[in-house]
Amino acid sequence: MKVERVRLRNFKCYGDADLTLSRGVTVVHGVNGSGKSTLLEAVFFALYGSKALDDRTLDDVITTGEEECEVELGFVHDGRAYRIERHLKLRGDRAATTKCVLETPTGTIEGARDVRREVTELLRMDAEAFVNCAYVRQGEVNKLIHASPGARQDMIDDLLQLGALEEYRERASDARLGVKTVLDGQREVAENLREQVERKEDQKLHERLNALEERRGELRGEIDHFEDQREEARKTFEDAQAVLDRHEERRAEIADLEGEIADLRARIQATERKREAAKDEIRGLRGRREDLEDERSALRGEVDLEASVDERIEAKETRNEELSEELTDVKVSIEEASGEVDRLREEADDLESRADSRREEADDLGTRLEDDEGTVEEREATLEDLDDEIEEARATFEDAPVDFGGAEAYLEDLEADREELTGGITDLAAEIRTVENAIEEGEALLEAGNCPECGQPVEDSPHVDVLDEKREKLAALEEEREGLEAERETVEERIDRAAELCDLEDRVGKLEGERENLRQLLTEKRETLEDRREQCTDLRERAAELEGEAAEKRERADARADDLGDHRARLGEINAERSEVRDALETLWRIAEIDDELADVDGEIENLRERRENWRELHDERTDRLGDKRDRKRDLEAEFDDERVESARTEKENAADYLGKVDAKLGELEGSLEAVQGKIGATKNELEALEDLRERLEKKEGTCADLESLYDEAQTLQTTYGDLRAELRQHNVETLERLLNETFELVYQNDSYASIDLDGEYRLTVYQKDGEPLEPEQLSGGERALFNLSLRCAIYRLLAEGVEGTAPMPPLILDEPTVFLDSGHVTQLVSLVESMRDLGVEQIVVVSHDEELVGAADELVSVEKDATSNRSRLERGEPPEMELLASD
């Protein structure tokens, strides 16, 4: 894998950055705190996302003060181009991934998890393996040497994919145990089935079935015989029943005829009585008619009947309607006049009330005018006080280091200076701690009689005077830190003064806002006073107008009250005439009613005559029907045969008795047949169950045989994975030991050490020339750092060679590898980097503030941080060798 391009926007200390990388060694150079390591973190984050942040969150990635962040990484792997793009955005108080895309030669993959999974498969390593192999992060150069053998074994096994073989072996073991559990269960089931088959065979089911079927045949023969006999008895019973039914039908018909004869006699008598009653009713109606004619004659004498009754009624009703309409009109006029009088008087009262209200409102408005004029005078005095306070505050800036309005920018500049000083103090503190640790370690070695540089006895080591140099360097660093701290205190005092000036500017702004608001309020108040004066005058004028309108309405009400008396007099005249018309109408209506009643009486008399004739005809018809029914009754009584009826009754009783007995016998036989049939069914079911058990037993025995074979295969597979893992680990250990010795001998020219041993458990031992073994922790600080870097490079070479030839690897990335090295060991580190390049590592990226490493660069990238914006920027430079060639 080769990184070709890194593009950043708002990633930590980078605003906008775009860097292209080439083959060979690229050195990213800059002072401490400039943002060099951040560039490598961006590459790591682009590949693995949140898994590259350790204990940090996505919020820490976005530049302070910004809401969005973008990281783009372009790289070539195994000859094919890839591009990753990640976008983050703050949502509330947390950041979230809004875009994560991996463009591959075969398509596009989206989503943070899918992209991370694809990168892990592509590079054959997850984020942890990437750090353990290709990415030596700042402060972790000694990670492998300080790890326990077990942890070191797990790291290297995971890198070499041996962990997968162990996982496969464990899976095979789990599968074997699972198969064993299933096999035991299946064997138990098969044994249970075998016992059930044996119990079924001992029951002799076929012999039992034959005996039951023979008994079923015998029962069916007996049932058929009794059913034939029952059918003969049933036919005899039905014939006898038919004779008896016919006898009962004749008796019932005779009884019905007797009832009908009695009913007809009663109806004939009732008809005769109705005819006599109708005759009496006709006599009564004739008397009623005579009385009505007498009453009509008397009423005709009371009224003038020059015209017909109907014409007289119509004339009187017409006059009554005319009077009614006139009466309604007069009442309406009375109501209208009365309502108008009330309305005019109410309107006059309302106008007078409104006039009083206007006068009261004008008086209240006058009182408020006096109060508002006093408020205006008070606010004018407050405005003068604000002008004096603003002038006094602005005068304070005459002795200040900045003019009015520049305090905030002045404060930001001072805070940036303080942040820069704090960063320098922090870097110095880290460097002081490193030197102090080196001095303490050297003093402990020197006290034990060993060299503080290499850990060897003082008499055998050329490095015994390095402690004084480190103490001098420590004193110089502490003195430099004290100077920076004093300068930071001065800046903090200026920051306090600048903060006071900012507060004063804010105070002046608020006062000026209050002054402007007060001026606007005064202007509005004066305009309001003038409007209220005009309103007061308008209210008094309107009150006078309302009083005049009230007087006019009272005059109109008095005039309408006079008209109301005339209407009431006419109302009395109309009511008197209507009374006379009603009396005449009632007399005429009664005469008309009598005429109608006479017509009704004549109609009823004629109706009764017709009904008497109808009843006479009905009497004759019923007399004829009565004679017919008496003849039918005499015929039925002549047909009776008592002897045949008695014989039929005896046959029916004998047939019923036999049917009762034969049904009981058939029920008994059918119960026996049903019981035999049930036993036959049960026996057949048991035979089917026996066959089913035999089939299940056969299948279960086959399943057990298959599981036994599968168990043997799983055991063989488990052993194979374990042996393969052991063989591969031994091969890798031997290869890694060879590569480690080659790399360490290449970069370390001291003759004190003979070789490095790596056993099968990844325990490391360094042998001196005299054969004495040393633990890696016993090496000097610089030697341990070189040893660890050599181990990292050896692992990297082992992975690059692969199992069956060269395998594509990510760039070798070294972040501040010189932290624990002095100048002499830095030279050896340069040799290590050059050797890795010569061994064919396609791309090496080194981040360092050490000038000596620049000499190993094929390309040089400088990183600087702007003190004002606190943003880092990249600048491509020329390596020293290229500069010399250019000058020549």
Side-chain angles (χ1 to χ4, degrees), residues 337-369:
S338 178
E340 187 174 358
V341 169
D342 294 339
R343 179 180 59 79
L344 289 171
R345 286 173 179 169
E346 288 176 358
E347 289 179 357
D349 293 339
D350 180 62
L351 289 170
E352 290 173 353
S353 176
R354 288 166 60 189
D356 294 339
S357 177
R358 295 292 188 279
R359 284 197 180 91
E360 291 176 0
E361 189 175 351
D363 293 340
D364 293 341
L365 197 56
T367 303
R368 291 167 60 189
L369 278 171

Side-chain angles (χ1 to χ4, degrees), residues 240 244 247-248 642 644-654:
L244 294 174
H247 176 68
E248 292 300 323
D642 294 336
R644 178 69 186 98
V645 170
E646 188 61 27
S647 174
R649 187 174 288 111
T650 302
E651 291 176 356
K652 176 184 175 183
E653 291 176 356
N654 294 334

Side-chain angles (χ1 to χ4, degrees), residues 674-739:
E674 184 177 354
V676 171
Q677 189 68 38
K679 293 179 180 179
I680 290 173
T683 304
K684 288 182 178 180
N685 291 337
E686 291 186 10
L687 286 170
E688 292 176 359
L690 176 60
E691 292 301 320
D692 181 63
L693 287 172
R694 287 170 176 167
E695 292 177 2
R696 289 170 59 192
L697 176 59
E698 183 179 356
K699 291 180 181 179
K700 197 61 64 178
E701 289 174 344
T703 301
C704 291
D706 295 339
L707 288 172
E708 290 171 355
S709 175
L710 184 60
Y711 177 82
D712 295 337
E713 292 176 2
Q715 190 170 22
T716 302
L717 185 61
Q718 177 184 353
T719 304
T720 301
Y721 280 133
D723 295 343
L724 180 59
R725 182 171 181 267
E727 292 174 6
L728 289 175
R729 176 185 288 174
Q730 184 61 34
H731 171 75
N732 290 329
V733 166
E734 294 172 357
T735 305
L736 183 59
E737 182 182 46
R738 173 179 57 80
L739 295 174

Side-chain angles (χ1 to χ4, degrees), residues 419-446:
E419 186 175 353
E420 182 178 358
L421 289 170
T422 301
I425 292 170
T426 302
D427 293 341
L428 284 173
E431 192 170 354
I432 287 171
R433 285 195 296 272
T434 301
V435 175
E436 287 175 344
N437 292 335
I439 291 173
E440 291 175 0
E441 183 179 355
E443 288 176 346
L445 291 171
L446 189 60

